Amino acid sequence: GGTLTGDLTIETQTKYKDSTTNYVTIKAPATVTSYTLTLPAAKATVAGQVLASDTSGVTSWVTIPSAPVSSVNTKTGAVVLGSDDIAEGSTNLYYTTARAALKENAVTAGSATQYYKGNKTWATLDTSAVAENGNLYFTNARVLGLALTGFTSTNSAISATDSILTAFGKAQGQISAQSTSLAGKADTTNTMQTITALSVTGLQTPTAGTDAANKTYVDSKAAITALTGDVTASGSGSVVATVANVGGVTAANVASGANLANAATNLNTVSTIVKRDASGNFTAGAITGSAFYYSSDRRLKTDFKEINGLEMVLALHGVAFKWKKNGEPEIGLIAQEVEKVVPELVKTDPVTGIKSVKYGNIVAPLIESTKAIYERMQSHETRAKLAERKIASVIEEQKNHEERIQKLEKAMEILLEENSKLKTELNKFKAKKK
């Protein structure tokens, strides 16, 4: 017979006949998902082998075991297996009465002031059992060490409903009022002499003046260790005093701090205090911190506009450079170049003319540029998928054309063969006729 090349498609079924009228039919299912069976490269090597297919449709010869299972755990027939017939594995164990007895006992209730510890006992919940963390305990020492924030002196009577801070303020107001009242009742006859070595000496016994009989002076060396608050002098006579400490800080350090404060500017000057200018700005070197936050609440903003982040980023120019002051290498942007592209990111010092860049705000055009690039990528992917589908369609159509051409070529071969036979018969007919 002849040889067929290419694919041969037969619909529904094929029949293979013997030399008589007997045949074998191979029939496709009524509904089937297309698949391909690939036959082995050679015939079976052992009698009784059968064809077996993997999930890809590739077949191979497989030998069926000659001794099938006749019993399970010595049981035959319709076998019913129990837990006694199947050994435990190392992970999934049987749930037995003995193992159930090992479970945790019920926990008895404790009191409202107790907690259940890891050793399965109840303990009293107090500060000795719970360590401090962010929230500290309220102790006498901490109360005594608190600053009197919000303290105000008020000359009025203390009541039982006053807080401690308010009561202190009223007490101070009463003391101040009494001090002012007593100041007007001073002894104008006798004069204070000299304060020497932090002690009062040379005081005369009061013999005249208002309320002299009710006054008592004690000549003792009561040391003055420290002064806090403002110190002022008033009255007649000579007063000589030396301030050693103010609020626990030596007078020399207080004077030095005052000089530094008076010399402070908003510029970055070595060994000086930096203060903010009228707009709240100041100049500094490297600042280190765990986090820096920018005011960004919508309620603080107005006049919102969209930005072309990709256009801005493409126009910016990153450079590597060295600082003139110390030669340290760095990378970044040039403020003058940034100002031409995004002037909102640049600030010029009104005094020095030095320009600075808000590097943190560059994140806005970076975000928008990333979104724009992503949208373009999505568009390219969509177009690529459309092109792939078109190519696949063209390939499929070309395949169909090739199949039709092969069929036509086959039909042409048959016609040529028939034509050749007809010519032969015609020649035979002509020969006989002669």
Side-chain angles (χ1 to χ4, degrees):
T3 300
L4 294 178
T5 60
D7 295 336
L8 175 63
T9 302
I10 301 175
E11 293 186 1
T12 308
Q13 63 187 25
T14 58
K15 292 184 178 180
Y16 297 90
K17 296 179 61 177
D18 60 8
S19 58
T20 63
T21 59
N22 301 318
Y23 60 87
V24 175
T25 301
I26 298 177
K27 185 176 183 180
T31 303
V32 64
T33 300
S34 299
Y35 65 89
T36 300
L37 288 177
T38 302
L39 296 176
K43 65 181 181 179
T45 57
V46 178
Q49 287 184 318
V50 296
L51 281 176
S53 171
D54 62 12
T55 56
S56 300
V58 177
T59 62
S60 59
W61 295 108
V62 177
T63 301
I64 298 176
S66 59
V69 176
S70 60
S71 66
V72 177
N73 197 21
T74 70
K75 295 181 178 182
T76 61
V79 176
V80 177
L81 297 178
S83 59
D84 293 334
D85 299 310
I86 303 175
E88 284 186 319
S90 59
T91 303
N92 298 318
L93 306 180
Y94 291 129
Y95 188 77
T96 64
T97 303
R99 287 172 178 160
L102 298 177
K103 68 181 183 65
E104 292 287 343
N105 295 326
V107 178
T108 58
S111 67
T113 59
Q114 290 182 315
Y115 70 100
Y116 197 64
K117 298 173 63 176
N119 60 3
K120 303 177 183 179
T121 60
W122 289 100
T124 302
L125 181 62
D126 54 24
T127 57
S128 63
V130 182
E132 287 185 318
N133 198 351
N135 298 322
L136 305 181
Y137 292 128
F138 194 80
T139 64
N140 292 337
R142 286 175 178 154
V143 173
L144 294 176
L146 289 175
L148 298 179
T149 304
F151 176 82
T152 303
S153 177
T154 305
N155 182 16
S156 59
I158 300 174
S159 66
T161 59
D162 288 336
S163 65
I164 295 176
L165 188 64
T166 302
F168 281 166
K170 290 183 178 181
Q172 180 62 51
Q174 295 176 22
I175 293 172
S176 298
Q178 291 296 327
S179 177
T180 302
S181 175
L182 292 174
K185 300 178 181 180
D187 187 351
T188 58
T189 302
N190 301 296
T191 60
M192 180 180 292
Q193 299 301 315
T194 305
I195 300 176
T196 304
L198 299 178
S199 63
V200 181
T201 62
L203 295 177
Q204 300 178 10
T205 301
T207 57
T210 307
D211 294 334
N214 297 325
K215 296 178 180 179
T216 301
Y217 295 107
V218 178
D219 184 5
S220 64
K221 294 183 178 181
I224 303 176
T225 59
L227 297 175
T228 59
D230 296 330
V231 179
T232 60
S234 62
S236 59
S238 176
V239 178
V240 179
T242 300
V243 178
N245 295 279
V246 176
V249 181
T250 63
N253 288 338
V254 172
S256 176
N259 292 334
L260 289 174
N262 291 332
T265 67
N266 67 318
L267 301 178
N268 183 23
T269 307
V270 179
S271 301
T272 61
I273 297 176
V274 179
K275 69 177 181 180
R276 296 179 296 176
D277 60 17
S279 300
N281 304 315
F282 66 91
T283 303
I287 301 177
T288 302
S290 59
F292 296 91
Y293 295 92
Y294 294 78
S295 297
S296 190
D297 195 299
R298 173 179 288 273
R299 294 169 294 183
L300 303 176
K301 304 175 182 181
T302 186
D303 195 17
F304 296 94
K305 297 178 181 178
E306 296 293 332
I307 62 173
N308 190 331
L310 183 58
E311 182 179 307
M312 292 179 180
V313 171
L314 292 176
L316 293 176
H317 178 215
V319 295
F321 60 90
K322 292 183 179 180
W323 292 108
K324 290 183 178 180
K325 61 182 179 181
N326 54 18
E328 184 176 350
E330 187 64 275
I331 61 172
L333 303 171
I334 305 300
Q336 285 81 355
E337 296 179 359
V338 177
E339 190 173 29
K340 295 177 181 179
V341 180
V342 194
E344 296 87 349
L345 296 179
V346 179
K347 182 174 180 59
T348 304
D349 189 290
V351 178
T352 64
I354 297 296
K355 297 181 182 293
S356 304
V357 176
K358 301 177 185 176
Y359 278 95
N361 291 18
I362 297 179
V363 68
L366 288 177
I367 290 174
E368 293 303 314
S369 64
T370 302
K371 290 163 61 178
I373 294 173
Y374 176 78
E375 290 175 357
R376 292 187 181 184
M377 289 178 59
Q378 290 292 98
S379 176
H380 288 318
E381 288 182 2
T382 301
R383 292 169 61 187
K385 289 179 180 179
L386 289 174
E388 289 176 355
R389 285 198 289 268
K390 288 182 179 179
I391 292 172
S393 176
V394 171
I395 292 174
E396 182 66 23
E397 186 175 352
Q398 181 180 358
K399 182 179 178 181
N400 294 334
H401 288 323
E402 289 177 352
E403 291 178 352
R404 293 176 62 187
I405 291 172
Q406 289 177 357
K407 291 179 179 179
L408 290 174
E409 289 177 346
K410 186 63 177 178
M412 181 65 71
E413 291 177 358
I414 295 172
L415 289 175
L416 291 174
E417 185 177 353
E418 293 293 330
N419 188 41
S420 177
K421 290 179 179 179
L422 290 174
K423 285 183 178 180
T424 302
E425 293 294 329
L426 180 60
N427 291 332
K428 289 180 178 180
F429 178 76
K430 289 180 178 180
K432 288 180 179 181
K433 195 173 183 180
K434 288 180 180 181

